[in-house]
Amino acid sequence: MPIYTAPVDDLQFVLHALLKVSEQAIPGYEDLDPDVTAAVLGEAGKIATNVVAPLNVVGDREGCVLGNGIVRTPPGFREAFDALKAGGWTALDCDPDYGGQGMPSLMGTAVGELFSAANQSFTMYHGLTHGAYSAIRAHGTEAQKAMWLPKLVSCDWTGTMNLTEPQCGTDLSLLRTKAEPQADGSYRISGQKIFISAGDHDMAENIVHLVLARIPGGPEGTKGISLFIVPKLMVDDQGGLGARNGVSVGKLETKMGIHGNATCVMNFDDATGYLLGQEHKGMRAMFTMMNEARLGVAMQGLAQAEVAYQNAAAYARDRLQGRAVTGAENPEGPADPLIVHPDIRRTLMDQKSFVEGARAFLLWGAMLIDRSHRLGDADAEGLISLLIPVLKGFLTDKGFESCVAAQQVFGGHGYIEDSGMSQFTRDARITQIYEGANGIQALDLVGRKLASDGGKHMVAFFDLVKRFIKENEADEGLKAGFLDPLKAASKDLQAASMFFMQNGMKTPNAALAGSYDFMHLFGYVCLGLMWAQMAKAAEIGLGEGSGNRAFLEAKIATGRYFMARQLPATALHLARIESGAEPVMSLTADAF
């Protein structure tokens, strides 16, 4: 059975030594002192480890079952879901006006990592509900908020997002689902949606579907799409449940991973729906969910990498194979543990340096969201909008890579289901695809976000890096191992940005052919910045004699590894970008 231990110490380091959350001038952050966050994360970690994680293998092997129009979740899921509800975990960062605890998104993201690492399929049920809550809170009328939000916050009702149709995935301009206006102000929704995560299950009294559809007579393309609230069961004016709406599950998808989550084909047959937001402005309302969901998927990529790494490191310490080339390190035993071998160390260091850097990047992103929402900070909003495709694309690509690397540490045993490593790899794979495939994230980054507001947010990022380097260049301990590599990587990112500025308009394929490399180049620089900042925080801790000395020394050593062995990848990505479109576009379509 795979193991999982909540990385509370590392989360605490990021929150307090790096981000200094209780010193931030963000409403609600003044309450986030180390004792409070340790208590929240510690309790969440216990539930993740003891209640949620044991069901991960169960969900993978048993899966969901559709029978007589009802979806049954794997054994134990419902009881665990009830435990999360009872503990208020589904309401952690929701509005107190609707029954939430009002904590910042930062804490919701930190706790979300623990639950997702323990059991990604299970955690998706309330994670998607949070997205529906956010969309209704942002775009709903006061009556809609009063009707739907308290039940979504408590997860007595859960939520979904319904975008994809058989003929359209990313290209929602091809969407066909219709919404016919009714005399009472409601709409009749008809159409089919596919790949709907948590589309139906037996853990909630009702399911609130947010559905994209077209009102007849509206504009063509995405400008004619509206968003609707479509409940599974009808709800009366007092919030009581009534008859079944015209919503049904056509089938459950058979998938590579996340077997414990019900991925459904949803049929809407004259289902009653209620307009959310304005007519033909559904994309704007849906993107309230999409941006939150993309940060959540970035978190999933990190979470699967974390749990896979924990298991690989434990296996490498225990598994006896061969002898160290420098002499036996376990002379009383028949062989040395795997971890003595440099290539195993390399594999583990790749994982460890990614996971810890990614955690810092993710929580910094969550703090920017809080700064944007709680302070109305437009600069923070612009910066996180720029970074969202990097977070989603880079963390899920590298998260999957890390899971494969962890599986490799096990050798043949990693390919056998009993080790559990296959599940981490299979579950991580979907993160690169859903909520906008990573190729689309790269196109969004280069095609839209890079030049947004005249490029001011990209300039702000470069200024942030330059300022950190300048402020710390007198620190010899940081300079060679951290600041110099960060400066070189940042220059690669600037050169790539300049290439797009000079070539993007006249040869757009040149920019688009390099977009994926740019997303990864940007991701490496972001993790490099995080590692440089963490190294400084660890140095301060060592100098003050605060914190666990071994932990802080390991933090610096891990950061040095990333800067020396991973960050130079920016030069490779720049070379690919500067090769332009010709190598990519030279073949005719029929030559493939």
Side-chain angles (χ1 to χ4, degrees):
M1 177 73 72
I3 61 167
Y4 176 65
T5 302
V8 174
D9 288 346
D10 201 53
L11 284 162
Q12 285 285 90
F13 174 82
V14 173
L15 291 174
H16 298 288
L18 176 65
L19 299 179
K20 300 185 182 301
V21 292
S22 60
E23 300 175 21
Q24 299 294 323
I26 302 172
Y29 274 50
E30 67 277 5
D31 298 327
L32 300 182
D33 63 57
D35 290 341
V36 169
T37 58
V40 172
L41 295 172
E43 191 60 32
K46 290 177 186 176
I47 296 172
T49 299
N50 299 325
V51 177
V52 181
L55 297 175
N56 199 35
V57 171
V58 175
D60 189 54
R61 295 180 178 173
E62 299 289 336
C64 296
V65 178
L66 174 62
N68 299 318
I70 300 171
V71 174
R72 307 287 183 192
T73 51
F77 269 45
R78 184 165 188 165
E79 291 78 8
F81 200 68
D82 287 343
L84 254 66
K85 289 165 55 181
W89 296 106
T90 65
L92 190 70
D93 58 350
C94 295
D95 191 335
D97 288 345
Y98 304 104
Q101 297 182 42
M103 296 198 81
S105 294
L106 177 72
M107 291 303 295
T109 302
V111 168
E113 183 205 325
L114 306 184
F115 290 139
S116 188
N119 192 328
Q120 180 174 318
S121 295
F122 173 83
T123 303
M124 288 170 64
Y125 289 99
H126 59 89
L128 288 159
T129 303
H130 194 287
Y133 152 84
S134 295
I136 295 173
R137 182 169 178 257
H139 301 285
T141 65
E142 291 304 315
Q144 287 174 332
K145 294 176 188 179
M147 172 71 77
W148 307 106
L149 292 187
K151 293 289 191 178
L152 289 173
V153 167
S154 67
C155 271
D156 290 335
W157 301 348
T158 61
T160 71
M161 49 198 301
N162 288 245
L163 292 78
T164 307
E165 299 182 3
Q167 79 288 347
C168 75
T170 300
D171 187 359
L172 290 172
S173 66
L174 302 176
L175 185 144
R176 296 175 185 163
T177 299
K178 292 183 179 180
E180 297 280 354
Q182 303 299 299
D184 62 358
S186 68
Y187 292 77
R188 292 290 182 183
I189 313 296
S190 297
Q192 186 180 78
K193 300 290 184 176
I194 64 171
F195 306 156
I196 308 307
S197 299
D200 196 78
H201 58 87
D202 58 355
M203 299 191 298
E205 300 167 354
N206 201 5
I207 298 174
V208 181
H209 301 286
L210 296 193
V211 184
L212 287 180
R214 294 187 182 280
I215 299 172
E220 295 295 322
T222 57
K223 293 181 179 179
I225 295 175
S226 302
L227 184 62
F228 299 88
I229 300 170
V230 186
K232 173 182 175 178
L233 300 178
M234 296 301 295
V235 182
D236 64 28
D237 291 341
Q238 285 72 47
L241 298 180
R244 179 75 181 249
N245 202 358
V247 181
S248 62
V249 181
K251 64 175 286 193
L252 285 178
E253 301 289 1
T254 302
K255 304 164 294 184
M256 175 179 174
I258 57 168
H259 296 155
N261 196 270
T263 305
C264 302
V265 173
M266 301 300 303
N267 295 322
F268 296 89
D269 300 301
D270 283 335
T272 298
Y274 309 96
L275 182 67
L276 178 60
Q278 301 174 29
E279 286 189 3
H280 316 312
K281 302 293 184 182
M283 294 299 293
R284 175 171 169 261
M286 182 60 83
F287 269 98
T288 301
M289 295 177 69
M290 289 296 288
N291 286 333
E292 177 181 314
R294 285 169 178 170
L295 187 76
V297 174
M299 178 265 291
Q300 290 177 345
L302 158 64
Q304 292 306 298
E306 166 68 35
V307 66
Y309 163 72
Q310 287 189 20
N311 283 270
Y315 187 79
R317 287 191 294 266
D318 293 341
R319 174 73 168 174
L320 302 181
Q321 288 284 284
R323 290 293 187 188
V325 294
T326 53
E329 295 195 18
N330 179 34
E332 303 303 317
D336 289 332
L338 276 174
I339 203 163
V340 306
H341 304 300
D343 193 60
I344 294 294
R345 291 289 189 98
R346 173 195 61 79
T347 306
L348 292 173
M349 286 296 282
D350 282 347
Q351 297 166 59
K352 180 176 172 63
S353 64
F354 164 72
V355 164
E356 294 180 15
R359 177 173 295 119
F361 184 23
L362 181 79
L363 294 180
W364 177 46
M367 190 169 77
L368 287 172
I369 289 176
D370 281 329
R371 183 171 293 279
S372 166
H373 291 174
R374 291 179 172 236
L375 283 176
D377 187 329
D379 290 336
E381 172 65 25
L383 184 56
I384 190 57
S385 294
L386 172 70
L387 294 175
I388 280 288
V390 184
L391 280 156
K392 196 280 184 185
F394 186 72
L395 265 57
T396 59
D397 277 350
K398 301 302 288 186
F400 175 74
E401 249 181 60
S402 290
C403 289
V404 172
Q407 190 179 25
Q408 190 75 10
V409 170
F410 280 70
H413 291 283
Y415 199 67
I416 302 301
E417 292 294 341
D418 288 349
S419 72
M421 302 308 289
S422 167
Q423 183 185 355
F424 300 139
T425 304
R426 289 184 286 103
D427 285 356
R429 183 66 183 91
I430 186 57
T431 64
Q432 299 169 284
I433 298 171
Y434 60 14
E435 308 306 346
N438 285 356
I440 299 300
Q441 302 301 320
L443 295 179
D444 178 47
L445 175 63
V446 170
R448 294 178 60 245
K449 301 296 178 60
L450 192 58
S452 178
D453 294 327
K456 66 176 288 189
H457 308 301
M458 194 72 215
V459 171
F461 178 81
F462 285 131
D463 286 346
L464 192 156
V465 174
K466 291 175 185 174
R467 185 165 59 251
F468 178 80
I469 293 172
K470 185 174 182 179
E471 288 173 353
N472 295 280
E473 58 190 358
D475 185 336
E476 292 299 324
L478 281 179
K479 188 174 188 307
F482 291 92
L483 302 185
D484 289 348
L486 177 59
K487 183 184 292 185
S490 181
K491 287 181 178 179
D492 288 340
L493 184 61
Q494 291 176 59
S497 302
M498 186 62 67
F499 177 84
F500 291 147
M501 288 176 62
Q502 293 172 343
N503 296 277
M505 294 298 291
K506 59 183 178 182
T507 53
N509 277 345
L512 299 185
S515 61
Y516 212 94
D517 281 286
F518 186 79
M519 180 178 72
H520 274 244
L521 199 169
F522 203 165
Y524 277 113
V525 175
C526 288
L527 260 64
L529 176 61
M530 295 298 103
W531 271 117
Q533 292 177 335
M534 286 193 288
K536 178 182 177 181
E539 277 191 355
I540 291 171
L542 288 170
E544 295 175 346
S546 60
N548 182 306
R549 187 173 188 85
F551 173 90
L552 296 174
E553 289 175 343
K555 182 66 69 175
I556 293 172
T558 305
R560 286 186 179 276
Y561 177 90
F562 181 86
M563 305 305 274
R565 296 287 301 238
Q566 292 291 317
L567 194 55
T570 59
L572 170 64
H573 289 297
L574 176 61
R576 289 173 173 171
I577 290 166
E578 291 181 336
S579 72
E582 197 279 331
V584 175
M585 304 300 292
S586 60
L587 288 183
T588 60
D590 58 6
F592 285 91

